[in-house]
Amino acid sequence: MKKKVLVAAAIIVSVALILWANLADLPAAGERTSAQGPKGAPLVRVQTVSRRSLRQEVVAPGFLEAAQVHEVRAPFTTRSVKLLVGLGDRVEAGQVVAELDSSDLALQVSAQEAQVAQLEASLASLRLQQQQAPLQLSQRIEQARSQLLQAEDNLASVLRQNDALRTRLEQARVNLATLQERTSDGAAQVEAARQALLKAEEAYRADPGNASLREAYEKARDQYDSALRQSREAAEQAAVQLRAAYDELAAAEADYARVSGDNPVAVQLASSQVEAARLALQMAENEAASGGTVAEQLRAAELNLQATRSNLEVLRAKLARAQLTAPAAGTVLTLAITDGLPAQESQLLLTLGDLDQLKVTIQVDELDITKVQPEQSLTVETNAAPGYLFDGRVTRVAAQATAAGGTSYFPVEGLVANRDGLLRAGLNAEVVIATAQRENVLVVPLAAVRTENGAESVLVVADFRVEVRPVVTGLRTETDVEILEGLQEGEQVVVSPFTLINSLEDGAAVRVEEAEETGGKSSD
């Protein structure tokens, strides 16, 4: 049964009966059969103003689920899972609900234990070596100091050899420069003779019949041939001398570079030996200050052993969880695996939920959401337990609407006590939220209040005449409204027909029939 639908249907039927009775000048169902007042005056129904309780309610659909759901997952990969419970079984906290095949994990634990034993033996050996390390480090330092002294003496000896080599190199460079100048002079003479020949040839070609120009041309050609022949002979002789000078220069440069010069190979080698010896001494001293390489190996071995032991403890803890227990008392809601099948680490096996108190998610219409607040009381009714109402309270009100099926609603959450265990997770429900409550207040039907230009009033009947009485209203429901100011208890107000409520004027005569008083609460 949906209360909101029934309330709406009841209002529609009542309005239809009142309209029909008014038009036919007959009493509506539930009215008294006799009317009092001036003949010919319009017939109205009145109700005596009284004090009673008024309750505002919001009715909306809801969905029930377990309030606290606990997941049971596989702590490690297993070949098979043995389930010890079934759907709907009630379990206690700590009760074994499933067992995992742990043979593979047991092998891993054994292998890790063997590795721990091996690392402990290696660590003991390193500690023994550490006891002997100081003497060995002292010997290394003395040896490094001796090698440094030898390298420094060798460098000083090499630096003393460069004076004679520098003189030889400078003389070789002077000899080579002298020969190069001689070669350049011969080439200059040949070039001068060639230029003179070209000039004489150009003059002769300009005037071939001139005998003096012809004689000058032939003379210039003879001089060029003579200069070319002399240059060739000088070049052949200079080539031999240049070859010897180049060889001497190259040998002098190589010897000088080996000792000093621009690329002092011997000096660099001797200097490198000094730096290498100094570095070896520094490393030996640093190693002695830090305890030596054995100390580093010892620290690394201790860290490795610690990590391996931690891993072993993790494996042992997993092995101890081969029997899975319920984290809390509850009911088996789902089984996510079939008995006897394998499972991966962290795979969901089953879920448990506490059904003593259920969570209800309510879909509240946007017209009603402003009335709903946390901690308001509510009641739940389901088709699974017709006629039973279950009490609860609102715990959370959404700040944003959710769209579903083309409509939107505001999710509201609440907690409901599962009296006698009649409720089940997954049930649809009708939820009534008590959004407001007033006690001992003046109440009139909502249909009795008319609104004009924002001002509210009711029609008070006294001596068969109407008085338009301004009122101040309070709490409203779909059928009733609280009157804060403007009425007194015992006065009579017009409650129907609604066509006359909005049209009768102050002082109008009416015939009166008294209506029965409605109940004390209504649903929105």
Side-chain angles (χ1 to χ4, degrees), residues 90-149:
R90 174 80 180 183
V91 298
E92 300 298 329
Q95 178 180 337
V96 179
V97 295
E99 293 180 349
L100 308 185
D101 183 346
S102 59
S103 56
D104 291 341
L105 186 58
L107 291 176
Q108 296 180 32
V109 171
S110 299
Q112 199 74 3
E113 289 174 342
Q115 187 175 359
V116 168
Q118 182 180 0
L119 291 175
E120 288 174 343
S122 298
L123 185 60
S125 177
L126 288 172
R127 285 173 177 165
L128 181 60
Q129 294 179 29
Q130 189 182 35
Q131 296 175 359
Q132 303 173 352
L135 178 59
Q136 297 175 353
L137 289 174
S138 177
Q139 293 174 349
R140 284 184 55 191
I141 292 174
E142 291 301 324
Q143 183 180 3
R145 286 174 179 169
S146 176
Q147 292 175 349
L148 177 60
L149 291 175

Side-chain angles (χ1 to χ4, degrees), residues 264-295:
V265 177
V267 175
Q268 288 184 354
L269 179 59
S271 299
S272 299
Q273 291 174 348
V274 171
E275 291 300 323
R278 184 178 289 112
L279 181 59
L281 176 59
Q282 183 179 357
M283 291 177 61
E285 290 174 344
N286 291 340
E287 187 175 348
S290 64
T293 56
V294 175

